[in-house]
């Protein structure tokens, strides 16, 4: 999330880049892999944290280039089947069948919880190491000062730290969370060995205050078990 690309992720602004991106894909039939080139660089990459959905899609593009496979098939082989998912999942694609890797992974609450348990158990499921333990640990420990909990200023997630698609709540005691649009939470608390999934369909994206209130609730639940 430090590509230096100029991209407005403001969910509350109907004219922001992120809110105009999906209409480009589905109303004007732009391929997602081409739409990313609509946004030029404005800063040196690798220096300043700036959360944007665009970077997540480029990460998916990189994965497709390296593996030579589409995201859904690779995901099924490397994660969904080894994880023992109970239900099928689906992924939003553009009109050309390319997965939009910054959003649109649809799964059941129980299967999201299974993924949370995989991280709680440092990448291991039923005695098998599905994700390297070193990667799991690295992915939830912000490694730059500007990405520490309390240092980021991204609108809806202000106050959270960030590392490799995970958000780190302020005053963390080792807990971390995946935050989705309009109230989705996958909360993991290793200290208390608790995983909590919250699926939602809020009319608007949550404010940072509402997200922090939800984290306080999830922490209270974890502390009481």
């Amino acid at each position: 999330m430090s590509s230096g690309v100029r991209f407005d992720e403001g969910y509350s602004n109907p004219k922001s880049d992120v809110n105009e991106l999906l209409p480009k894909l589905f109303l004007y039939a732009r391929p997602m892999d081409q739409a990313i080139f609509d946004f030029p660089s404005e800063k040196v990459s690798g220096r300043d944290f700036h959360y944007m959905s665009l970077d997540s899609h480029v990460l998916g593009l990189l994965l497709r280039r390296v593996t030579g496979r589409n995201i859904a098939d690779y995901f099924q082989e490397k994660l969904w089947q080894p994880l023992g998912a109970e239900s099928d999942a689906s992924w939003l694609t553009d009109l050309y069948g390319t997965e939009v890797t910054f959003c649109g992974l649809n799964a059941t609450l129980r299967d999201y919880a299974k993924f949370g348990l995989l991280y709680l158990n440092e990448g291991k499921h039923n005695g098998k190491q599905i994700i390297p333990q070193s990667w799991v640990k690295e992915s939830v420990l912000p490694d730059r000062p500007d990405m520490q909990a309390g240092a980021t200023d991204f609108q809806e997630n202000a106050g959270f730290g960030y590392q490799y698609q995970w958000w780190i709540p302020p005053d963390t005691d080792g807990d971390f969370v995946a935050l989705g649009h309009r109230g989705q939470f996958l909360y993991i608390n290793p200290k208390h060995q608790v995983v909590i999934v919250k699926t939602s369909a809020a009319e608007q994206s949550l404010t940072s205050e509402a997200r922090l209130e939800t984290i306080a609730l999830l922490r209270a639940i974890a502390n009481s078990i």
Side-chain angles (χ1 to χ4, degrees):
M1 292 299 168
S2 304
S3 64
V5 169
R6 185 174 71 237
F7 188 87
D8 181 2
E9 188 77 15
Y11 302 122
S12 59
N13 175 11
K15 296 297 185 180
S16 69
D17 293 324
V18 70
N19 282 330
E20 292 191 338
L21 183 56
L22 291 182
K24 283 185 178 182
L25 303 182
F26 300 111
L27 294 181
Y28 304 109
R30 289 291 307 282
M32 184 61 208
D33 288 354
Q34 291 183 15
I36 60 177
F37 293 105
D38 294 346
F39 306 97
S41 295
E42 65 175 352
K43 295 181 179 179
V44 175
S45 64
R47 186 176 64 187
D48 298 321
F49 174 79
H50 176 65
Y51 180 84
M52 66 180 76
S53 296
L54 209 65
D55 284 355
S56 290
H57 186 76
V58 173
L59 185 62
L61 189 153
L62 176 64
L63 187 62
R64 284 190 281 118
R65 292 284 179 88
V66 170
T67 64
R69 304 178 62 188
N70 67 47
I71 295 294
D73 288 346
Y74 189 75
F75 173 80
Q76 179 172 332
E77 178 190 335
K78 296 296 185 179
L79 184 64
W80 213 237
Q81 287 184 342
L83 186 62
E86 298 179 15
S87 304
D88 290 339
S90 64
W91 211 311
L92 176 71
T93 68
D94 66 12
L95 297 179
Y96 301 88
T98 300
E99 296 89 348
V100 181
T101 48
F102 66 82
C103 70
L105 174 61
N106 304 290
T108 64
L109 185 145
R110 288 179 62 87
D111 284 338
Y112 272 125
K114 281 178 172 285
F115 179 68
L117 286 169
L118 181 65
Y119 253 73
L120 182 71
N121 295 318
E122 299 185 338
K124 185 176 290 187
H125 174 69
N126 285 343
K128 182 180 179 180
Q129 198 74 41
I130 298 176
I131 303 174
Q133 183 184 47
S134 59
W135 173 263
V136 172
K137 291 182 176 180
E138 181 180 337
S139 65
V140 297
L141 292 175
D143 58 5
R144 290 202 329 240
D146 62 323
M147 294 164 63
Q148 301 297 318
T152 66
D153 59 0
F154 169 64
Q155 302 172 22
E156 285 84 356
N157 297 354
F160 287 80
Y162 184 86
Q163 179 87 346
Y164 300 176
Q165 306 288 322
W166 292 99
W167 294 92
I168 316 303
D171 303 316
T172 181
D173 192 15
D175 55 348
F176 53 96
V177 60
L179 296 172
H181 193 34
R182 299 191 177 184
Q184 314 292 333
F185 288 77
L186 171 53
Y187 174 76
I188 301 169
N189 190 312
K191 179 179 178 180
H192 295 285
Q193 291 290 288
V194 170
V195 171
I196 303 174
V197 184
K198 177 179 180 291
T199 54
S200 311
E203 292 185 3
Q204 297 179 341
S205 183
L206 301 187
T207 64
S208 60
E209 291 79 8
R211 291 181 186 249
L212 290 171
E213 287 178 358
T214 303
I215 291 296
L217 170 63
L218 300 179
R219 281 175 168 168
I221 294 172
N223 290 339
S224 67
I225 294 177

